[in-house]
Amino acid sequence: MAVIIELRDTTLIFNAGEGRRGLDPNDFQRLRTWAESYAVAVDAKQSDALLVIGHELHAWLDAEGWLSTARQVGGTLEVTLQVAAAATADALTFLDVPWELLAVDGEFLAADSLVLFTLERRLGAPAGQPVSARHSDLAIAFMAAAPEGVEPELNYEAEEVAIYAATSNLQAHLVVEESGHLPWLVDRLHGWSQLPEVLHVSCHGEIDRRGMPGLMLEDPQGLGAWVSTTDFVNELGDWRPSLMFVSACRSAERAPTVFSLIAALTRSGVANVLGWDGSVYDQDATRFAEELYRQLARHVTPARAVALARRKLLRGWFEDPDSGGSHWHLARLLIGPGGGQPLCRQGLGPRPNRTQAGNREFLDKERPRIPVASREQFVGRRWELRTLLRAFAPNGRHWGALIHGMGRLGKSSLAARLANRLPEHAAVVVFKDYDRTAIFQAVYAKLPAVAADVRKDWLSEVQAEDEGLYNVLKRILHDQPPLLLIIDDLEQILEEPVPEQQGTRVRSEWRGALAAVLRAFRDTWGNRSRLLLTSRYPFTLPAPDGHDLAGDLLEVPLSPLSEAQRIKMAQAELRIAGSKLTDGEDKKILLARIQEVAQGNPGLQYLLTKPLLAGDVPTATQAVAEVAAWLAAGRQPEGKDVAEFFSKLTLDVYRRALTADQVTAFRAATLFELPAPEAAVRAAVSAAGVAVPEVAVARLVGLGLLDWHASAVESPHLLANRLARPLFPPALDRTEVAALARAALAPLVNTWADAEGDLPASPRGLEAHRLAEAADNDLGLLARAAYAAASWHFRRNHDANSALPLVLRAVEKLEAGQLAPSPHLLRLGAECARRLGDMATAERLLRAGLEATGSPSPPLAMLWSEWAGLLARRGKPDDSLEWLGKAEAVFRAAGDVRERAVTQGKIADILQARGQLDEALRIRVEEQLPVYERLEV
């Protein structure tokens, strides 16, 4: 049943006049108090407080029985809260209240499995023609902004992958703009024959010092660019998406003096706007978006899609609070006068193909001879593209750059994307023919009209000698509009790499011409023209004075794609091919296997995916098996396409280019299963007996045998290339692994641990634990690593089965060494055991902590709290309250406001369950709430 509650001045009007209720200043003060209490409770992570607020809100809004009557009808409870477009301060207060929390009889309405509770806030009464669907399918434009140096770093790729997954088998289209730069997103959208229904922007949102809401996007170089609401709308021009989802913390939060960002977007003409009323966990934002788009593509209204996403998140949180979902209530849907309708409808025709979608693209647009990834196919490479754009900016520090890396990693595709990002530069491509005349002809072809006699004189000068090319290029670069000269596949004119060389030499017949090019760009640095080269490996080019010209170039090594980027690439290929993989789980499994064996090499992944997209599963399966055999045992592929691919990789050239020390260094680097800090890799290489590890490591990086993983927030990390590992048998044995791990762990932990020495609960924690167990020489480090690894399994992946053995092995080793396990480790193990129903192990671990000597500390108090929970579940509330009281006293003494609030909530829960409602309420009001007020909201 539909319920419309409109606030008109100080009167609530139910369903256009069926009921009325006047409000006084006390009512609005109560609304403000609820909004403030909600913000505090969210920050304190007090779910019981949220339920209390929800009950009070329901009682206030349902004073005349409007909601109760509607719920009795069954079906869907569709609640619309409406204010005038020119909202007053009181109206804003009304909208600001967290109505998503409405609860009755101990249950949130949002959790009701029989009556779906939909909620929309409407800014202005419905007017004019509603924004209606035009197609049977849905189109989504996604852009994430993660500026360098802006913390915390967003896990935007997880959200992006989730949207890919949610829409992969539905009538939906997704285009991703990787740059985070708003003008480039708008330019990208103009390539669509019809603009998308949805614009999804994932970024940081904030309220500035003036109280103005806005978004932190990126500038062309990847640095932060604050974009106000006005600037954002102006950049969009006349276009407004039917739905805009601003997946940014605080995007729905109302500043004291102005509309929130989503309200401003609604007023600008966006029919439906979604945002977050506070800081939201990445995993909650990701799961919410996944379900939202799944529902929108099924032709439901935005309000219904939001409600279903909210309910799914809430149910997951009920089933397993550690799995996330606690921010189920933060999403806010605001609708304008033309909003509220489905974004796509059954029975309408599908949207026409986007302009150039799936078309083949080439680096040299005039001569289609260097195929590159299209905009639809191109994923990742954010750091590399940012680095190049920053280097080539007018105030940049480089006139030339070299992109290098193993074959088929996408060097030419990256060059093409860079050229697209520098539209003011005329792109000149030199490929296959690298002599001075060919270089001049390629450059000249991109110049504005030049007198015929000038061209003739220039050509004669170039053909005479290499110095002529230098002189002519200098004149052109000084006098003509800016150029971007791209010399592609430079390895074609390089000698074969040989041992004892750090840089590969240019073949003698090409040295003069290439030197002339480098010198010309170097000597006209003050102008805007730039030089970009791509090669499989770096080179050296000494000038007559002995200076290495190649050393002046910015080196940008390419590494394989990350796991998330592999998924994005696969989904992009599926969309371009129009394949949904709906006819069998085996194809989905095969696609995942392709991503695994391709090891992040985009060329290999594309090759393996092609037959699958064409429906040739046997060929794809055989190709995958051949690559897997190479990875496992170094068996050369025999199938035509795969064998040709590996032949073109010329891995044997890399192997022949290494000295004995460099071979030893590569084998030592295979110790690591994740990209490791360069210092840790060098330590392992040194422990393997290499006298000058930094030289060996630099050579391996230059050849692309060690993948270089760089970011703006930490030192470079390295990983032995997976496709190259079979070249260097045998694998490290257990003794070698132990010795290398002992050497590498200290620099690895120094980089990965935080200021308190704690390792991250992430795959890095797993890697540190694997190495610490192999080293078996530092029980303290082993315990820290076990805690990090088990936390990753349990708290992030909800896998107690994998987490508990790590804890138990660490505890066993610590006790054998007569060291006390930390309360954190014991408590985590107890939680895992409890989840698995192994209460005997949980009790044993907790008792070990209870018997620990020393002064009480917050970590120990947290263990007491876990022990109190065990006692409460055993029907011993008095004993439980005693331990909770001791824990609360420790938190109070330590000034740990948050844990104290959590503990007080547990005490109140026990009292409430025992029927001591007055005392439970007293604790919440007189003790808990003052604690809330001390929290930073």
Side-chain angles (χ1 to χ4, degrees):
M1 178 177 176
V3 173
I4 301 175
I5 301 177
E6 179 186 359
L7 176 62
R8 192 178 301 170
D9 296 325
T10 59
T11 302
L12 287 182
I13 301 174
F14 171 66
N15 281 356
E18 291 182 22
R20 291 176 177 268
R21 173 182 162 196
L23 303 182
D24 60 29
N26 289 332
D27 286 303
F28 289 106
Q29 181 56 47
R30 291 188 72 188
L31 293 175
R32 283 189 287 272
T33 300
W34 279 318
E36 292 166 1
S37 299
Y38 168 70
V40 174
V42 169
D43 189 68
K45 303 178 183 178
Q46 286 294 302
S47 57
D48 49 352
L50 298 180
L51 189 60
V52 171
I53 294 171
H55 275 99
E56 293 175 352
L57 288 174
H58 189 279
W60 183 88
L61 192 61
D62 195 40
E64 283 74 24
W66 295 339
L67 298 180
S68 298
T69 301
R71 289 188 72 219
Q72 293 173 2
V73 176
T76 299
L77 176 62
E78 301 173 354
V79 176
T80 299
L81 303 175
Q82 181 176 308
V83 301
T88 64
D90 285 342
L92 293 177
T93 297
F94 179 65
L95 290 184
D96 201 27
V97 172
W99 301 108
E100 286 76 8
L101 297 180
L102 289 175
V104 65
D105 297 332
E107 183 178 88
F108 293 111
L109 298 190
D112 195 325
S113 58
L114 297 178
V115 178
L116 180 67
F117 168 46
T118 74
L119 175 66
E120 61 184 27
R121 292 166 171 81
R122 185 176 283 275
L123 196 61
Q129 189 70 22
V131 175
S132 57
R134 294 169 295 168
H135 308 290
S136 61
D137 47 11
L138 182 71
I140 307 162
F142 178 98
M143 183 178 78
E148 290 187 3
V150 176
E151 298 290 343
E153 187 175 357
L154 294 176
N155 186 17
Y156 65 88
E157 284 194 321
E159 187 173 7
E160 186 178 324
V161 167
I163 297 172
Y164 267 125
T167 58
S168 61
N169 290 325
L170 299 171
Q171 291 299 310
H173 309 276
L174 178 66
V175 63
V176 176
E177 171 54 47
E178 294 267 4
S179 69
H181 186 49
L182 183 59
W184 289 345
L185 169 67
V186 175
D187 290 344
R188 179 84 178 270
L189 293 177
H190 288 162
W192 292 49
S193 56
Q194 292 194 22
L195 290 166
E197 287 80 17
V198 180
L199 174 57
H200 184 124
V201 180
S202 181
C203 60
H204 283 294
E206 195 51 83
I207 309 296
D208 70 12
R209 293 178 181 177
R210 301 168 300 165
M212 300 294 293
L215 300 175
M216 182 59 73
L217 302 181
E218 299 180 30
D219 68 7
Q221 286 79 46
L223 301 176
W226 179 258
V227 179
S228 69
T229 306
T230 301
D231 292 339
F232 195 102
V233 170
N234 288 342
E235 189 65 41
L236 293 182
D238 294 333
W239 172 63
R240 297 292 181 271
S242 300
L243 168 68
M244 184 169 173
F245 188 178
V246 186
S247 186
C249 296
R250 303 188 72 179
S251 54
E253 183 177 341
R254 184 170 59 85
T257 58
V258 297
F259 264 132
S260 67
L261 178 67
I262 66 168
L265 291 169
T266 304
R267 293 181 67 192
S268 77
V270 182
N272 309 277
V273 187
L274 257 175
W276 297 109
D277 190 13
S279 298
V280 61
Y281 293 148
D282 281 342
Q283 62 181 356
D284 287 359
T286 296
R287 293 178 184 174
F288 183 90
E290 182 178 16
E291 185 63 18
L292 172 77
Y293 291 121
R294 179 179 290 115
Q295 296 299 334
L296 287 173
R298 292 174 176 171
H299 312 117
V300 306
T301 65
R304 186 175 182 86
V306 169
L308 290 167
R310 181 183 295 124
R311 185 166 70 179
K312 184 170 183 176
L313 211 58
L314 176 56
R315 285 180 176 176
W317 181 60
F318 280 166
E319 293 170 4
D320 182 4
D322 293 324
S323 69
S326 61
H327 288 159
W328 60 269
H329 45 81
L330 283 175
R332 300 287 183 266
L333 175 64
L334 191 61
I335 292 177
Q341 299 300 310
L343 308 186
C344 54
R345 285 187 183 276
Q346 211 161 9
L348 299 176
R351 70 191 312 106
N353 290 333
R354 297 188 299 281
T355 303
Q356 299 177 345
N359 286 359
R360 199 74 180 272
E361 290 189 20
F362 298 89
L363 177 59
D364 189 348
K365 293 179 171 55
E366 280 74 23
R367 292 184 289 178
R369 52 184 180 160
I370 311 171
V372 295
S374 68
R375 282 188 174 188
E376 296 281 343
Q377 296 168 310
F378 189 82
V379 299
R381 306 307 185 200
R382 273 197 169 214
W383 177 86
E384 294 88 349
L385 194 53
R386 285 172 169 177
T387 299
L388 289 165
L389 286 167
R390 196 170 303 151
F392 284 180
N395 60 347
R397 301 177 58 186
H398 293 275
W399 49 264
L402 170 68
I403 302 172
H404 66 86
M406 193 171 282
R408 303 301 302 277
L409 280 177
K411 298 182 290 294
S412 299
S413 294
L414 177 58
R417 296 281 77 76
L418 178 66
N420 288 341
R421 296 302 191 216
L422 298 173
E424 70 278 12
H425 288 68
V428 180
V429 179
V430 173
F431 175 68
K432 284 193 174 180
D433 193 352
Y434 304 92
D435 66 33
R436 57 179 181 264
T437 301
I439 294 172
F440 167 74
Q441 297 283 22
V443 170
Y444 178 82
K446 288 299 179 76
L447 299 182
V450 176
D453 56 340
V454 174
R455 178 190 179 279
K456 184 178 179 181
D457 290 342
W458 282 353
L459 181 58
S460 298
E461 192 173 352
V462 168
Q463 290 176 333
E465 58 178 351
D466 295 324
E467 194 68 13
L469 176 61
Y470 166 73
N471 291 325
V472 169
L473 280 180
K474 272 188 65 178
R475 289 182 218 132
I476 291 174
L477 298 178
H478 186 272
D479 299 331
Q480 300 295 328
L483 299 173
L484 174 65
L485 176 58
I486 303 172
I487 301 180
D488 197 44
D489 274 8
L490 189 72
E491 70 270 8
Q492 295 186 36
I493 60 171
L494 301 183
E495 296 177 352
E496 182 173 309
V498 296
E500 309 299 347
Q501 282 184 349
Q502 285 299 105
T504 303
R505 295 189 302 181
V506 180
R507 292 180 188 170
S508 58
E509 62 268 34
W510 309 109
R511 290 174 193 164
L514 186 59
V517 172
L518 269 62
R519 289 170 53 219
F521 276 86
R522 180 197 64 187
D523 295 344
T524 56
W525 190 354
N527 296 308
R528 296 291 307 280
S529 292
R530 298 293 183 257
L531 173 65
L532 181 67
L533 305 98
T534 75
S535 175
R536 293 199 176 186
Y537 22 79
F539 65 98
T540 181
L541 185 58
D545 61 2
H547 176 70
D548 187 2
L549 293 170
D552 295 333
L553 297 169
L554 170 69
E555 289 193 17
V556 180
L558 286 196
S559 59
L561 300 177
S562 68
E563 183 178 356
Q565 290 165 352
R566 300 173 203 179
I567 295 172
K568 287 157 58 177
M569 178 181 171
Q571 294 294 340
E573 295 292 350
L574 285 173
R575 292 182 186 280
I576 291 170
S579 175
K580 302 293 183 183
L581 297 187
T582 56
D583 53 347
E585 192 66 24
D586 57 333
K587 288 186 178 180
K588 296 179 183 178
I589 295 172
L590 182 56
L591 184 61
R593 182 67 173 147
I594 287 171
Q595 296 163 40
E596 179 185 356
V597 302
Q599 293 295 327
N601 184 294
L604 181 55
Q605 182 169 322
Y606 176 73
L607 175 70
L608 298 176
T609 305
K610 272 203 312 185
L612 176 63
L613 297 179
D616 190 351
V617 174
T619 296
T621 302
Q622 178 60 30
V624 167
E626 291 194 4
V627 178
W630 164 257
L631 295 172
R635 187 187 310 155
Q636 289 289 342
E638 297 179 355
K640 179 179 179 297
D641 290 340
V642 178
E644 182 181 357
F645 177 89
F646 275 85
S647 175
K648 289 182 177 180
L649 280 186
T650 60
L651 293 174
D652 54 328
V653 172
Y654 295 93
R655 179 64 179 82
R656 293 195 301 269
L658 301 184
T659 64
D661 262 4
Q662 290 161 1
V663 171
T664 300
F666 184 87
R667 288 192 67 249
T670 63
L671 168 73
F672 304 99
E673 295 299 320
L674 287 182
E678 185 174 8
V681 176
R682 287 183 179 180
V685 170
S686 178
V690 177
V692 191
E694 57 271 19
V695 173
V697 167
R699 176 63 166 160
L700 293 171
V701 170
L703 289 174
L705 293 171
L706 286 185
D707 298 324
W708 176 277
H709 297 261
S711 78
V713 297
E714 62 182 4
S715 60
H717 281 50
L718 308 176
L719 182 67
N721 186 274
R722 300 282 186 177
L723 295 180
R725 291 191 185 200
L727 294 169
F728 302 90
L732 297 174
D733 61 32
R734 183 175 298 180
T735 302
E736 290 176 305
V737 168
L740 300 181
R742 289 170 190 146
L745 269 169
L748 181 142
V749 171
N750 287 342
T751 302
W752 286 357
D754 62 18
E756 287 73 39
D758 295 327
L759 288 160
S762 72
R764 287 183 171 181
L766 296 181
E767 177 75 342
H769 179 258
R770 180 183 69 84
L771 295 175
E773 281 202 320
D776 197 23
N777 68 333
D778 186 335
L779 291 179
L781 174 57
L782 175 63
R784 290 154 57 200
Y787 180 76
S791 295
W792 168 250
H793 281 309
F794 182 64
R795 302 201 191 286
R796 295 297 298 273
N797 295 324
H798 326 300
D799 182 2
N801 281 302
S802 297
L804 183 58
L806 305 187
V807 175
L808 294 179
R809 288 204 305 269
V811 169
E812 181 181 356
K813 282 184 173 291
L814 288 165
E815 291 176 342
Q818 298 184 334
L819 293 176
S822 72
H824 279 316
L825 184 64
L826 294 170
R827 181 171 60 91
L828 175 60
E831 290 182 62
C832 294
R834 173 165 56 84
R835 181 72 54 82
L836 296 172
D838 185 355
M839 300 309 298
T841 297
E843 181 173 351
R844 176 169 63 83
L845 292 171
L846 291 175
R847 284 191 180 278
L850 298 179
E851 296 166 1
T853 58
S855 301
S857 62
L860 185 59
M862 294 171 73
L863 183 142
W864 293 348
S865 181
E866 180 69 19
W867 175 250
L870 185 148
L871 293 173
R873 285 185 290 275
R874 289 183 174 177
K876 298 180 179 180
D878 292 335
D879 293 341
S880 179
L881 287 172
E882 180 181 351
W883 284 100
L884 287 172
K886 291 173 60 177
E888 195 270 346
V890 172
F891 295 134
R892 185 197 305 266
D896 193 333
V897 179
R898 189 180 299 278
E899 287 301 328
R900 182 183 168 203
V902 170
T903 306
Q904 288 174 322
K906 292 180 179 179
I907 292 172
D909 287 343
I910 292 176
L911 294 176
Q912 185 172 333
R914 293 172 60 174
Q916 296 175 254
L917 302 182
D918 290 342
E919 179 62 13
L921 181 61
R922 185 195 68 77
I923 290 175
R924 296 191 194 282
V925 173
E926 297 181 11
E927 297 187 33
Q928 259 193 304
L929 287 180
V931 172
Y932 287 164
E933 292 171 357
R934 291 181 54 193
L935 293 172
E936 294 181 3
V937 180

